[in-house]
Amino acid sequence: MKILLLGSGAREHALARALASDPATTELVVAPGNPGTAAIATNLLIDPTAPEEVVELATQMGADLVVVGPEAPLVAGVADTLRQAGIPTFGPGAEASRLEGSKAFAKEVMAAVGVPTAEVAVCTTREELEVALDRFGAPHVVKDDGLAAGKGVVVTSERAAALEHGLACLAKEGGRVVVEDYLDGPEVSLFCVCDGATVRPLAPAQDFKRLGDGDAGPNTGGMGSYTPLTWAPEDLSEQVVREIAQPVVDELARRGTPFTGLLYCGLALTSKGLRVVEFNVRFGDPETQAVLARLTSSLPELLHAAATGHLADTPGPTWSQQAAVDVVLAAPGYPGTVTTGGVITGVEAAEAVEGVHVLHAGTGLSDDGDLVATGGRVLSIVALGDDVAQARQRAYEAVSRLHLDGAQYRTDIAAGR
Ligand code: GLY
């Protein structure tokens, strides 16, 4: 199978690694790729968000499958143009991609099929505020809509205190107050491979979105991940498919915009039950790095079956009993203004740790041939182990062998899991 993979992050390096190592793959081109994918595939420099450029490359190489990594090409309609050209493509069209691009669209689809989501009510009157407080129940989350995220938020079990804060927000000129569902449980990412009709879940994973240990500091693209989630209900994946992914996929098919690709269900396991926090329409980063490390069945065959509408006749994915932990190494300044150009050393030493491989994201080669940081998230250090604790210990041993001046990483990824 000749495969074209679009993207350039550690997620795409993880995808490239799983595709390239499978005997079903005869040729793999990554566009634009990174120094890590260059070692296992052919990198070609095109604009992955330009539909005509992508179709031209896929046609030239006679691609049997195009796998779209990031969301930007999907939103730009690259998958639509590829499918119109008759090229099997793993990735939804622009309309179905609105599940990620438009929160309002996602909420509307979920409401249409009764999917439980983290609800939000925007109130402009006392009456609306009181109705929302009673509908969501305690603990109450009341947020001043006029302030930046995270400010002016009161979380309280006391209805009177919630009402008082809400009324104070409303009293301001043009005051609007947002009442939200309180998500009191852990978050889980479940990736569902879809062919427009059939849904196959991958292994659930958890990511760590904040920059600092203990979930301190600003939000990032993700600073680490692990799988399996031994603490999660055993039937979690079946439940998510039954109650969330399958109804959404059926609804999009009914609307004439079938979802072919990866439906990323971002979930909270709350005391009130499962809640969808968000949908994304592509593999998550950094969860993919950990999830694919445990995949023992063929990724190209799975994605090709999805792209060609044959998932129902294809066996589901199988998994190693081992655990995987991914620690992200970021450049100084991330997620703010990043300092690039720092020389990275120790990759070979890190990969000498048992069970470890290092995936590239924001890396490049300097004129002197040094590996240097070129972006915010620089490397993903992935370790397999007999359990999460061993995988974690190996990942951090590998991290200790890497050097990048001012590098940032969390020291508590998968701690105590
Ligand atoms: N892990 C978060 C994301 O991929 O958006």
Side-chain angles (χ1 to χ4, degrees):
M1 199 186 306
K2 294 182 182 179
I3 303 173
L4 171 60
L5 168 65
L6 302 180
S8 62
R11 165 185 53 203
E12 284 75 25
H13 191 180
L15 285 162
R17 194 171 173 270
L19 294 170
S21 63
D22 193 281
T25 303
T26 54
E27 183 182 343
L28 177 63
V29 172
V30 190
N34 62 38
T37 61
I40 54 174
T42 305
N43 281 359
L44 286 177
L45 192 59
I46 61 158
D47 176 0
T49 63
E52 295 72 27
E53 276 189 51
V54 176
V55 169
E56 193 183 325
L57 173 56
T59 307
Q60 256 173 23
M61 67 177 275
D64 303 295
L65 173 67
V66 178
V67 179
V68 185
E71 62 272 27
L74 298 169
V75 172
V78 164
D80 299 298
T81 311
L82 283 162
R83 274 194 276 273
Q84 278 153 19
I87 301 165
T89 301
F90 186 78
E95 178 61 22
S97 296
R98 291 174 66 217
L99 273 184
E100 175 166 352
S102 163
K103 298 300 167 206
F105 177 73
K107 292 263 180 209
E108 190 255 302
V109 171
M110 284 189 272
V113 289
V115 164
T117 177
E119 283 194 72
V120 173
V122 181
C123 312
T124 54
T125 66
R126 177 181 182 130
E127 196 189 11
E128 286 172 357
L129 173 62
E130 294 216 38
V131 168
L133 289 176
D134 292 337
R135 182 153 66 94
F136 295 154
H140 305 285
V141 183
V142 182
K143 194 184 279 186
D144 188 342
D145 196 38
L147 292 176
K151 294 189 188 147
V153 184
V154 163
V155 180
T156 175
S157 296
E158 304 296 326
R159 189 181 184 282
L163 182 61
E164 187 187 358
H165 179 64
L167 291 175
C169 301
L170 289 179
K172 294 179 188 168
E173 203 186 326
R176 277 156 43 112
V177 63
V178 176
V179 180
E180 289 184 2
D181 238 352
Y182 178 74
L183 301 178
D184 60 356
E187 291 196 8
V188 171
S189 303
L190 186 76
F191 301 160
C192 294
V193 173
C194 309
D195 69 357
T198 299
V199 176
R200 293 265 188 259
L202 303 186
Q206 198 176 43
D207 76 345
F208 293 75
K209 294 196 172 86
R210 301 269 176 180
L211 181 69
D213 286 357
D215 290 333
N219 254 326
T220 69
M223 294 299 290
S225 62
Y226 71 99
T227 175
L229 310 182
T230 49
W231 46 267
E234 235 174 77
D235 66 344
L236 178 67
S237 299
E238 290 74 21
Q239 191 190 349
V240 174
V241 170
R242 189 175 62 244
E243 295 178 9
I244 296 169
Q246 191 69 59
V248 166
V249 165
D250 291 347
E251 173 66 8
L252 290 175
R254 193 191 63 76
R255 294 179 184 207
T257 53
F259 191 99
T260 301
L262 200 288
L263 180 62
Y264 166 146
C265 300
L267 309 156
L269 275 51
T270 79
S271 56
K272 296 178 196 165
L274 264 180
R275 293 285 183 276
V276 174
V277 178
E278 62 174 357
F279 285 129
N280 294 312
V281 297
R282 35 84 194 166
F283 283 94
D285 186 343
E287 299 97 312
T288 300
Q289 292 88 306
V291 168
L292 292 185
R294 294 183 51 229
L295 182 71
T296 52
S297 52
S298 169
L299 184 66
E301 280 171 10
L302 181 70
L303 302 189
H304 188 263
T308 54
H310 290 105
L311 263 190
D313 341 312
T314 305
T318 55
W319 305 99
S320 153
Q321 289 304 306
Q322 289 194 298
V325 172
D326 172 26
V327 178
V328 170
L329 190 87
Y334 179 77
T337 307
V338 170
T339 305
T340 56
V343 175
I344 303 157
T345 57
V347 172
E348 213 173 300
E351 290 197 315
V353 178
E354 190 176 351
V356 168
H357 60 274
V358 175
L359 300 171
H360 292 239
T363 68
L365 294 177
S366 72
D367 292 343
D368 300 333
D370 290 325
L371 186 68
V372 294
T374 59
R377 289 187 291 174
V378 178
L379 297 172
S380 267
I381 296 88
V382 184
L384 284 165
D386 291 341
D387 53 23
V388 172
Q390 187 182 56
R392 177 171 193 279
Q393 183 273 324
R394 289 174 173 177
Y396 279 110
E397 169 59 29
V399 169
S400 76
R401 298 182 182 198
L402 288 160
H403 183 78
L404 165 67
D405 269 350
Q408 311 181 79
Y409 62 90
R410 280 181 66 154
T411 66
D412 65 346
I413 300 301
R417 277 20 184 244

